[in-house]
Amino acid sequence: MAEFNSFIQESVDFIVQDYEQRMADSKKVCFNLLKEKGSADEFKDTISDIWKNTNQDYIKQQENDLQIMIDRANAQGKTITGNGKDYFDLVPQEKYHWAEKKYKDKVETFFERNSEALKKEYVDDEQYLADIVAKYDTDAQAAIPYYSKGKIRCYQTVSTYCGMLTNVSLTHSAWNRTLYDSEYLENDLLYLPAHNLACELCMPWQGYIYSNSGKDKRFRAKEEAIEGGIGHPNCRHCWVLYWGSWQIQSDKFDTENDKEAYNRAEKARAIKLQIRRSETDSEIYHDLGAEGKADKTDAKIQALYTELKKIGG
């Protein structure tokens, strides 16, 4: 049953990496056109080309494939018919497009503002451009507002945000399949498989049996687990139907060692992202002729690789 978690993680990673590559290409184009005195219209046209066809068909296919996997696990040889129901909302394509537009608006504003600044005679183009490479990430890439309890908690990059959307949509797709199967097969009991590298919010809830309706008082209602944190935006836990004790895992992955492993994995993920973005910056600095900043960035990359090795990433 760990394959559900792995399937979601691999799907999300694919989307995040795709968006990160588009972000890197956009940043390189931005500084190349600023250097070459390109126009705002030229930049907009190039950005539009980079952001065409952002894998919406892939996401829908992954949702369908995950439902088939879940359905097979739930059926246990029984026949299930019907297309299911949407108990939990899937993420519509429009939400991805909204985030992409937010990002493109930000980078286009960044380009236009700095293009105007470079027109001033007293500005040293090479020095100016080298100085704003690091500002690009905060001024342009942290573009998507993330709300919590009605307030903006932070601004995320389009890759992080759309990765989260993919995670939510895939998880909800799996949940919808199991809840439909629960009704269809008249089995009120759900099992929440435990997986390694779960966050501390989810750890206390994984590896237990729950009642779908809440009527079977031998077990906690699934809503109790959801209220406790299961199903948060980056959660990859998938309910399955409970048929017997053979499904119960001996390892609930909830020890102090498991918590430390989760923290190491999250740190490794963050370092890998820093490395990837720093490599883009290094390429831009070299293209601008800012060799001093390029050398410092290359040294930073080597230090990040050393840190990654230390934590076993």
Side-chain angles (χ1 to χ4, degrees):
M1 287 179 280
E3 68 266 23
F4 308 137
N5 160 63
S6 299
F7 183 90
I8 293 172
Q9 185 64 70
E10 289 168 8
S11 303
V12 171
D13 286 346
F14 177 87
I15 291 298
V16 170
Q17 288 166 16
D18 177 67
Y19 274 87
E20 281 289 326
Q21 186 60 58
R22 294 172 195 261
M23 287 165 56
D25 292 344
S26 299
K27 187 172 184 178
K28 286 185 277 191
V29 164
C30 177
F31 281 92
N32 180 260
L33 286 178
L34 284 173
K35 176 186 173 185
E36 300 299 329
K37 307 293 185 183
S39 69
D41 286 341
E42 185 180 0
F43 180 65
K44 287 180 182 179
D45 288 344
T46 309
I47 288 295
S48 293
D49 286 340
I50 290 172
W51 287 89
K52 281 181 181 176
N53 305 320
T54 50
N55 289 302
Q56 297 303 310
D57 289 342
Y58 169 83
I59 294 168
K60 290 301 173 188
Q61 184 61 54
Q62 295 303 94
E63 290 172 356
N64 290 335
D65 289 350
L66 180 58
Q67 285 208 351
I68 291 170
M69 292 167 61
I70 292 287
D71 206 37
R72 189 180 299 123
N74 288 337
Q76 294 297 313
K78 301 173 180 65
T79 300
I80 301 173
T81 60
N83 295 323
K85 298 179 184 178
D86 286 344
Y87 303 84
F88 291 86
D89 291 337
L90 305 186
V91 178
Q93 292 186 12
E94 290 75 18
K95 192 69 172 178
Y96 290 87
H97 297 157
W98 170 82
E100 291 160 14
K101 186 178 185 304
K102 280 277 188 185
Y103 167 78
K104 287 186 282 186
D105 288 347
K106 273 270 195 177
V107 296
E108 286 168 8
T109 299
F110 180 92
F111 180 89
E112 291 168 7
R113 184 175 67 248
N114 288 290
S115 182
E116 286 299 314
L118 288 165
K119 291 177 182 178
K120 297 173 182 177
E121 292 183 4
Y122 60 83
V123 172
D124 181 320
D125 289 8
E126 288 185 7
Q127 185 64 50
Y128 181 88
L129 287 171
D131 287 343
I132 64 170
V133 171
K135 294 179 181 178
Y136 181 95
D137 290 353
T138 52
D139 289 359
Q141 296 206 138
I144 318 301
Y146 176 69
Y147 291 86
S148 179
K149 298 180 180 179
K151 296 181 180 179
I152 296 176
R153 195 176 103 184
C154 62
Y155 285 87
Q156 296 182 331
T157 65
V158 67
S159 64
T160 300
Y161 188 80
C162 289
M164 180 185 69
L165 294 183
T166 303
N167 197 104
V168 168
S169 207
L170 283 168
T171 303
H172 282 184
S173 179
W175 286 21
N176 287 342
R177 190 69 236 180
T178 288
L179 298 186
Y180 174 79
D181 293 349
S182 173
E183 286 189 13
Y184 187 91
L185 296 174
E186 298 182 341
N187 181 353
D188 185 53
L189 298 184
L190 309 178
Y191 182 63
L192 191 64
H195 66 76
N196 67 330
L197 303 181
C199 69
E200 289 191 43
L201 194 63
C202 294
M203 275 186 187
W205 305 100
Q206 63 179 4
Y208 293 97
I209 306 165
Y210 295 86
S211 169
N212 183 19
S213 66
K215 294 177 181 178
D216 191 329
K217 300 306 179 183
R218 293 176 300 165
F219 307 102
R220 291 175 292 182
K222 74 176 187 301
E223 278 72 20
E224 187 176 337
I226 293 171
E227 289 170 5
I230 293 295
H232 63 81
N234 287 308
C235 180
R236 300 187 302 278
H237 283 92
C238 300
W239 305 98
V240 294
L241 296 187
Y242 177 73
W243 294 107
S245 59
W246 52 268
Q247 289 174 269
I248 304 296
Q249 297 159 280
S250 58
D251 191 347
K252 290 185 171 56
F253 301 104
D254 58 357
T255 67
E256 288 302 316
N257 285 339
D258 290 309
K259 293 176 184 178
E260 291 173 9
Y262 169 79
N263 290 331
R264 285 196 304 273
E266 288 299 295
K267 187 174 182 180
R269 188 180 296 275
I271 291 173
K272 288 175 183 177
L273 191 57
Q274 278 186 281
I275 289 171
R276 184 168 186 165
R277 292 177 180 175
S278 296
E279 287 173 342
T280 298
D281 288 353
S282 176
E283 188 176 335
I284 291 170
Y285 283 132
H286 282 297
D287 184 61
L288 294 173
E291 297 305 324
K293 288 184 180 291
D295 290 344
K296 287 182 180 179
T297 304
D298 291 341
K300 174 186 174 183
I301 292 169
Q302 290 306 311
L304 287 168
Y305 272 117
T306 300
E307 187 176 359
L308 187 61
K309 188 176 180 180
K310 283 181 181 178
I311 64 172

